């Protein structure tokens, strides 16, 4: 089987905002406690943060981490997580039916972000609280000093303000599962008022308003239109979320799901354009896809805790999906979609980062390791920076419920003019056929392959565990070549590849 791709230096989509390689960390399950924070762990630093986890995080060079939720934020009092630890209250977390010790709050998270070299993206609670909480939190975090909240921050040990730029106006407010769930108009008014107050403090903040929790919500896509009609002039991004699952054990349909993702993005992009036109606005609003990942492996085992059968445990194992090789392909496809829609998607956060539906797993007191999906995320974040190319792809394909034709070869291309590299991320969705793929390189100087990484496995079900940490891992690729202005590569059945060229 053969596929052809044309890459032309001048046919570009958009510069890729680095922040599409962001991540999300919620006070949920073991994401924070025994995830990033475990004071008794042999690798813990002076702040109690796990060094082994910090290293795995640092290696991905994550530009931004969204915090503290998620559903958790909709009943969270940020003030519970500041001041002397021994005086912080234990609270019931209604979203996940657990107890929250508040041992980690904004100070500890900010210090950890500095350690791993990432930027904070904070969410305010627009579920159980509102404008007042948001303006106070903002003053605490960003005001230099000389006011009640900023002086309290200084008293609590942090002299300099953190100057957090990105702020989420609540989380998934369209979802009836959310504490303080609202209808679109109600939420739109509250979000607009909150945004106005926050901008009175600082006009340069980047504000993110809630879009739909997923494209199957009954209120979608009217939700986006109504919310944007209220908030268009006051926000910079609309937040979308989507999780992917292979519940019917149908790999072909599963791997076609990024069509659904691209339709979702395109629909909301049109809604943004519609509201912009209606308001005769000159400004642009973009998409912050601040929760995405595969999520289904742990659904069954989580049921009891979420229904409250275990009482109110602190940091139980929740949403601990163990990812397999098939999920590597899905995550590679999702990232390809974000690169292709880099014209409208300016922030995206893999959900989540550690233990909870995450590329990094830990054992309490034990090791931390990379799950299978760590690798496509790693390659995209490290090598997917630059300008997205508008590739022309000709590949045989198949029919699925998500599109008339899903090409077997899914590819994205990134040109980094700064370091003179050209990187392709390729997924072969075919179960049995190797696909000979030829990429015509137009307008690029003679190039040579500088890196080629391949992920394949004899079993789609293969996983990495504490004792078999590299069962699914990338291997150096072979057989790709460049000559006569063309890159030729063989894509084995069910494979993910990253090929990097230097001009
Ligand atoms: O990431 C897990 C949960 O998924 C988040 O708390 C919520 O925002 C979404 O429904």
């Amino acid at each position: 089987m053969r596929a052809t791709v044309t890459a032309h230096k001048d046919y570009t989509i958009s510069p890729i905002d680095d922040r599409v390689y962001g991540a999300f960390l919620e006070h949920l399950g073991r994401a924070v406690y025994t995830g990033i924070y475990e004071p008794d762990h042999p690798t813990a630093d002076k702040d109690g943060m796990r060094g082994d986890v910090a290293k795995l995080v640092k290696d991905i060079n994550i530009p931004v981490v969204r915090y503290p939720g998620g559903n958790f934020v909709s009943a969270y009092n940020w003030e519970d997580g500041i001041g002397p630890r021994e005086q912080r209250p234990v609270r019931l977390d209604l979203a996940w039916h657990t107890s929250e010790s508040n041992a980690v709050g904004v100070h500890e998270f900010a210090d950890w972000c500095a350690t791993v070299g990432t930027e904070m993206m904070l969410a305010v609670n627009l579920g159980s609280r509102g404008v007042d909480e948001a303006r106070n939190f903002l003053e605490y975090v960003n005001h230099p000093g000389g006011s009640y909240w900023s002086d309290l921050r200084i008293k609590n040990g942090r002299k300099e303000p953190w100057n957090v730029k990105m702020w989420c106006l609540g989380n998934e407010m369209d979802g009836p599962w959310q504490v303080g769930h609202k209808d679109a108009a109600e939420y739109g008014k509250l979000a607009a008022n909150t945004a106005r107050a926050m901008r009175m403090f600082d006009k340069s903040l980047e504000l993110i308003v809630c879009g739909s929790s997923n494209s199957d919500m009954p209120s979608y896509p009217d939700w986006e239109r109504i919310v944007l009609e209220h908030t268009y002039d006051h926000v910079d991004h609309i937040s979308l979320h989507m999780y992917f699952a292979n519940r019917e054990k149908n790999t072909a349909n599963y791997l076609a799901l990024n069509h659904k993702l691209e339709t979702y993005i395109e629909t909301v992009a049109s809604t943004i354009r519609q509201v912009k036109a209606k308001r005769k606005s000159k400004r642009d609003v973009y998409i912050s896809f601040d929760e995405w990942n595969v999520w289904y492996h742990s659904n069954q085992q989580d049921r009891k805790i979420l229904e409250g059968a275990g009482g109110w445990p602190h940091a139980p194992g929740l949403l601990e999906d163990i990812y397999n090789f098939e999920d590597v392909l899905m995550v590679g496809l999702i990232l390809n979609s974000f690169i292709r829609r880099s014209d409208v998607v300016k922030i995206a956060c893999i959900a989540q980062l550690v233990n909870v539906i995450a590329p990094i797993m830990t054992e309490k007191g034990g090791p931390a390791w990379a799950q299978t999906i760590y690798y496509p995320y790693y390659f995209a974040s490290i090598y997917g920076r630059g300008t997205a190319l508008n590739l022309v792809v000709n590949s045989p394909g198949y029919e699925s419920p998500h599109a008339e034709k899903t090409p077997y070869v899914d590819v994205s291309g990134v040109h980094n003019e700064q370091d003179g590299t050209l990187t392709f991320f390729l997924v072969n969705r075919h179960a049995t056929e190797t696909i000979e793929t030829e990429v015509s390189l137009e307008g690029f100087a003679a190039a040579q392959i500088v890196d080629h990484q391949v992920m394949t496995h004899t079993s789609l079900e293969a996983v990495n565990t504490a004792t078999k940490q590299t069962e699914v891992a990338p291997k150096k690729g072979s057989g790709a070549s460049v000559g006569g202005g063309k890159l030729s590569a063989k894509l084995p059945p069910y494979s993910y590849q990253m090929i990097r060229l230097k001009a």
Side-chain angles (χ1 to χ4, degrees):
M1 205 174 264
R2 288 174 55 77
T4 60
V5 178
T6 306
H8 193 294
K9 188 169 169 283
D10 297 334
Y11 297 171
T12 61
I13 297 170
S14 164
I16 300 166
D17 193 317
D18 288 353
R19 297 175 301 175
V20 296
Y21 306 118
F24 170 43
L25 192 82
E26 177 169 7
H27 280 254
L28 193 185
R30 299 192 309 114
V32 172
Y33 306 108
T34 74
I36 62 164
Y37 175 76
E38 191 178 334
D40 299 334
H41 193 270
T43 70
D45 66 11
K46 61 171 184 13
D47 301 321
M49 297 297 183
R50 284 183 66 148
D52 53 354
V53 174
K55 156 108 186 41
L56 283 162
V57 172
K58 252 195 226 165
D59 287 349
I60 317 175
N61 190 17
I62 301 175
V64 51
V65 179
R66 176 174 178 252
Y67 173 89
N71 297 341
F72 172 80
V73 80
S74 294
Y76 179 54
N77 300 334
W78 65 270
E79 305 90 324
D80 292 343
I82 59 171
R85 263 213 182 99
E86 57 291 355
Q87 288 168 24
R88 297 186 192 175
V90 172
R91 299 270 187 200
L92 298 186
D93 167 27
L94 303 175
W96 303 106
H97 217 283
T98 52
S99 295
E100 171 56 50
S101 68
N102 284 303
V104 170
V106 68
H107 286 257
E108 293 78 17
F109 177 65
D111 289 346
W112 179 80
C113 285
T115 304
V116 300
T118 194
E119 208 178 319
M120 290 194 266
M121 172 174 176
L122 293 176
V124 298
N125 172 355
L126 293 191
S128 66
R129 305 180 88 186
V131 181
D132 236 23
E133 180 261 352
R135 75 184 176 99
N136 296 344
F137 191 23
L138 177 61
E139 182 184 314
Y140 187 89
V141 170
N142 279 4
H143 194 57
S147 70
Y148 177 80
W149 291 109
S150 58
D151 287 347
L152 186 58
R153 181 196 68 239
I154 295 167
K155 187 170 156 234
N156 286 336
R158 170 75 191 194
K159 183 153 182 344
E160 297 305 321
W162 287 294
N163 286 322
V164 171
K165 283 284 162 225
M166 287 166 275
W167 291 83
C168 303
L169 304 169
N171 175 69
E172 292 190 353
M173 298 308 304
D174 61 331
W177 58 84
Q178 205 69 220
V179 173
H181 153 69
K182 293 163 180 54
D183 68 30
E186 221 183 330
Y187 169 67
K189 281 179 204 156
L190 175 62
N193 281 331
T194 309
R196 264 193 288 264
M198 292 176 84
R199 284 219 200 283
M200 283 178 193
F201 173 81
D202 179 357
K203 284 193 183 50
S204 73
L205 298 176
E206 263 186 82
L207 301 179
I208 300 128
V209 74
C210 296
S212 294
S213 304
N214 59 69
S215 59
D216 295 325
M217 294 298 289
S219 52
Y220 167 81
D222 281 342
W223 175 275
E224 278 76 2
R225 180 184 51 77
I226 298 166
V227 165
L228 284 174
E229 280 171 0
H230 285 281
T231 58
Y232 197 89
D233 298 331
H234 314 293
V235 300
D236 302 282
H237 307 264
I238 183 155
S239 148
L240 302 185
H241 296 172
M242 186 166 177
Y243 290 98
F244 302 79
N246 183 9
R247 292 206 172 82
E248 310 111 48
K249 297 279 162 243
N250 181 327
T251 302
N253 288 352
Y254 178 50
L255 297 182
L257 272 171
N258 66 324
H259 287 294
K260 190 172 171 184
L261 168 65
E262 290 185 21
T263 305
Y264 187 18
I265 293 171
E266 181 44 31
T267 305
V268 176
S270 333
T271 305
I272 294 171
R273 291 195 292 269
Q274 187 204 347
V275 178
K276 178 178 176 180
K278 193 169 167 187
R279 299 193 65 78
K280 311 221 170 347
S281 176
K282 293 258 177 299
R283 55 196 307 280
D284 285 308
V285 167
Y286 295 99
I287 292 173
S288 169
F289 219 106
D290 44 42
E291 285 187 36
W292 67 268
N293 204 349
V294 173
W295 177 11
Y296 75 102
H297 298 285
S298 61
N299 290 169
Q300 195 60 32
Q301 82 209 28
D302 286 344
R303 204 149 283 165
K304 280 201 177 130
I305 293 184
L306 297 181
E307 281 165 4
W312 298 89
H314 179 249
L318 268 177
L319 279 63
E320 298 203 357
D321 273 39
I322 304 301
Y323 292 113
N324 58 28
F325 173 65
E326 187 182 57
D327 302 324
V328 169
L329 306 176
M330 190 66 237
V331 165
L333 293 165
I334 297 166
L335 287 159
N336 276 353
S337 294
F338 289 142
I339 292 171
R340 286 193 291 260
R341 290 318 311 260
S342 53
D343 55 330
V344 284
V345 178
K346 299 295 176 187
I347 302 174
C349 302
I350 190 170
Q352 300 192 7
L353 187 55
V354 186
N355 288 332
V356 171
I357 39 174
I360 298 169
M361 281 302 290
T362 73
E363 263 180 11
K364 184 172 183 231
W369 66 96
Q371 290 231 57
T372 61
I373 60 166
Y374 181 92
Y375 298 103
Y377 176 43
Y378 168 88
F379 287 126
S381 176
I382 301 296
Y383 300 119
R385 305 202 185 197
T387 300
L389 293 173
N390 197 356
L391 306 174
V392 178
V393 182
N394 259 303
S395 162
Y398 61 96
E399 206 183 311
S400 81
H402 313 298
E404 254 169 52
K405 185 186 160 191
T406 297
Y408 286 116
V409 175
D410 188 285
V411 53
S412 68
V414 179
H415 181 209
N416 186 324
E417 279 183 284
Q418 267 165 12
D419 65 9
T421 57
L422 184 55
T423 304
F424 296 98
F425 302 98
L426 303 118
V427 175
N428 179 0
R429 293 182 172 103
H430 204 291
T432 52
E433 294 271 339
T434 292
I435 304 184
E436 310 262 352
T437 304
E438 204 173 77
V439 186
S440 168
L441 306 167
E442 299 184 5
F444 295 99
Q448 61 180 41
I449 297 173
V450 287
D451 198 1
H452 181 191
Q453 300 286 333
V454 181
M455 293 186 76
T456 52
H457 204 284
T458 47
S459 167
L460 287 174
E461 304 287 321
V463 299
N464 291 342
T465 61
T467 49
K468 264 194 163 183
Q469 296 186 7
T470 53
E471 177 62 32
V472 180
K475 294 199 174 65
K476 214 133 196 74
S478 62
S481 60
V482 186
K486 287 190 190 329
L487 161 70
S488 308
K490 282 188 181 25
L491 312 185
Y494 285 150
S495 62
Y496 167 89
Q497 317 220 358
M498 190 276 300
I499 306 180
R500 234 170 141 237
L501 311 175
K502 192 146 189 150

